[in-house]
Amino acid sequence: MDGGIDEYNRLHSADDADERNANYKSLVNSYYDLATLFYEWGWGQSFHFSFRHPHEDFGESIRRHEHYLASKLGLSPTASSLKVLDVGCGIGGPMRNICKFTGADVTGLTLNQYQVDRGNELCEADPQLGTEKCRSVQGDFMRMPFNDSSYDAAYAIEATCHAPDRVGVYSEIYRVLKPGSVFACYEWCMTDEYDSNNEEHRRIKKQIEEGDGLPDICHTSVCLNALKEAGFEVLDARDMADDDYGATKGGKPWMLPLMPSWNPLTQRFQFNWFGYRMTNAFIYMLEMLRLAPKGTVKTQRMLQQGAFGLSDGGITKTFTPMYLMVGRVPLDKKVCTRFVAEEKKEE
């Protein structure tokens, strides 16, 4: 763990994202080797955000957010015969919930082998599923191990933000989808409120990138244009954080779990100044007693810095983790010119 976090920090030491983009596989793998256990312990099996409606608990909001995205895929009532791809599935919490919600056959793709193993373990342990109905496979979403036009729908939940090139990852998704199929995603993006000349805004962006394994964070317009360039017909595009019905009508905003609290019985306690120091001191003691691997303190601090950036990004509205984009593959599908050019170059 100690060597992993040192290499991860080295990749993030420069302001320029070129090296991180060039080494995105190493960056993402290192990040999730370090962070997955922390995420599952502190967040659950679905590694994403959602705002909460009044009287809705955290788990309900997470499932509702996933089901809403799944409803955009246009799956028929006979979805059990359809194949759906989860791009960047993590340990498969959304994959299992969406499989149950739609009845479709769902395959999750993730770069990290630990997540593949853990995801399949959880699928096997679910009496409603098993790996016959949904499963995780290892692979790079920039070079997917699937044939052309092999899936009926695809979705990504806060995952393609790890890609070094949005056109590249969307083109790969386009390639593996059948004509007429729909891709829906929630993207991590900087919004129109972000000002690159504002030092505080730059600090927020940097903290999110460093704390969440990202090469760089794109503006919403960059992602939308990339979706179009990949060949998709855009059906919907908007910032779901602006739809924050829960927060505006008595609910809770998406970043609430990362905002400081003085209640010592909540995980938010670690985000106030005292809880931050106490948490790090406790983990340092565990590491010194060899009850936690060397590098655990560095990993915890890295994740906490990411949480501070995300919280401030939500408060200032300079960042969103839920820029919704829905695109359809044309019925007269043609493979993206850019993708074809790259394939011929490699040959």
Side-chain angles (χ1 to χ4, degrees):
M1 178 176 281
D2 196 43
I5 187 63
D6 286 344
E7 172 60 14
Y8 179 83
N9 288 335
R10 186 193 70 77
L11 287 169
H12 268 294
S13 61
D15 290 332
D16 196 314
D18 288 348
E19 185 178 6
R20 294 193 295 276
N21 280 322
N23 294 281
Y24 74 94
K25 286 194 284 188
S26 174
L27 180 73
V28 173
N29 249 326
S30 295
Y31 177 77
Y32 281 111
D33 280 341
L34 294 165
T36 297
L37 281 174
F38 285 85
Y39 275 14
E40 187 176 357
W41 175 76
W43 204 264
Q45 296 177 17
S46 295
F47 301 166
H48 65 81
F49 293 101
S50 174
F51 57 78
R52 288 162 59 179
H53 291 295
H55 313 299
E56 188 178 49
D57 66 26
F58 178 77
E60 289 171 332
S61 72
I62 289 291
R63 287 188 294 274
R64 185 251 311 146
H65 198 57
E66 294 166 358
H67 292 170
Y68 181 80
L69 191 70
S71 72
K72 294 289 185 177
L73 298 178
L75 300 177
S76 69
T78 57
S80 59
S81 63
L82 301 180
K83 294 176 63 180
V84 175
L85 178 64
D86 181 328
V87 182
C89 63
I91 61 171
M95 174 178 71
R96 287 181 288 278
N97 289 334
I98 288 175
C99 183
K100 294 172 185 176
F101 179 66
T102 64
D105 180 286
V106 185
T107 296
L109 180 73
T110 178
L111 185 64
N112 186 267
Q113 187 60 51
Y114 171 77
Q115 291 189 335
V116 171
D117 297 338
R118 179 60 178 153
N120 284 330
E121 178 185 18
L122 291 168
C123 287
E124 288 285 8
D126 192 317
Q128 293 180 255
L129 299 174
T131 51
E132 297 80 16
K133 192 64 179 172
C134 68
R135 82 291 302 161
S136 298
V137 298
Q138 194 277 332
D140 180 0
F141 55 30
M142 299 297 292
R143 297 288 178 194
M144 294 190 196
F146 308 122
N147 294 329
D148 295 358
S149 303
S150 53
Y151 283 93
D152 299 288
Y155 65 88
I157 300 179
E158 302 181 22
T160 47
C161 52
H162 291 292
D165 174 14
R166 292 301 195 285
V167 177
V169 68
Y170 299 154
S171 295
E172 267 292 83
I173 295 166
Y174 181 93
R175 179 183 67 81
V176 302
L177 285 175
K178 297 176 182 177
S181 298
V182 172
F183 167 60
C185 72
Y186 294 130
E187 267 284 8
W188 280 28
C189 296
M190 306 313 294
T191 71
D192 289 341
E193 298 298 319
Y194 176 75
D195 178 3
S196 61
N197 295 316
N198 184 307
E199 184 178 351
E200 177 69 2
H201 291 183
R202 291 198 306 271
R203 188 270 303 172
I204 290 170
K205 181 175 182 287
K206 185 66 173 174
Q207 280 188 314
I208 296 171
E209 289 167 351
E210 290 183 354
D212 294 279
L214 307 180
D216 195 12
I217 308 177
C218 300
H219 186 271
T220 53
S221 61
V222 173
C223 291
L224 185 58
N225 288 334
L227 192 73
K228 296 174 182 177
E229 187 176 341
F232 286 97
E233 300 171 347
V234 177
L235 303 180
D236 196 359
R238 56 197 168 91
D239 185 359
M240 291 287 287
D242 288 340
D243 292 355
D244 207 337
Y245 304 117
T248 57
K249 296 186 179 180
K252 298 175 174 63
W254 64 265
M255 65 282 189
L256 180 68
L258 304 180
M259 295 173 70
S261 168
W262 286 96
N263 181 351
L265 300 179
T266 74
Q267 58 89 28
R268 292 173 54 202
F269 182 74
Q270 66 177 302
F271 300 124
N272 70 59
W273 68 267
F274 179 73
Y276 174 79
R277 294 178 181 178
M278 191 172 75
T279 300
N280 279 276
F282 177 70
I283 295 175
Y284 178 77
M285 182 180 67
L286 293 179
E287 191 174 312
M288 291 297 292
L289 295 172
R290 299 189 178 182
L291 297 175
K294 189 176 181 181
T296 302
V297 172
K298 294 178 185 176
T299 302
Q300 172 68 7
R301 287 174 180 168
M302 176 264 291
L303 293 174
Q304 285 178 318
Q305 289 302 309
F308 295 147
L310 288 165
S311 176
D312 291 343
I315 292 169
T316 60
K317 296 187 180 297
T318 55
F319 167 81
T320 178
M322 53 187 74
Y323 183 60
L324 172 70
M325 297 193 301
V326 183
R328 181 170 53 206
V329 178
L331 291 173
D332 58 344
K333 172 184 176 180
K334 297 178 180 64
V335 177
C336 178
T337 303
R338 179 180 181 277
F339 180 83
V340 172
E342 287 187 353
E343 291 295 295
K344 287 182 177 178
K345 184 178 179 181
E346 286 191 359
E347 291 174 2

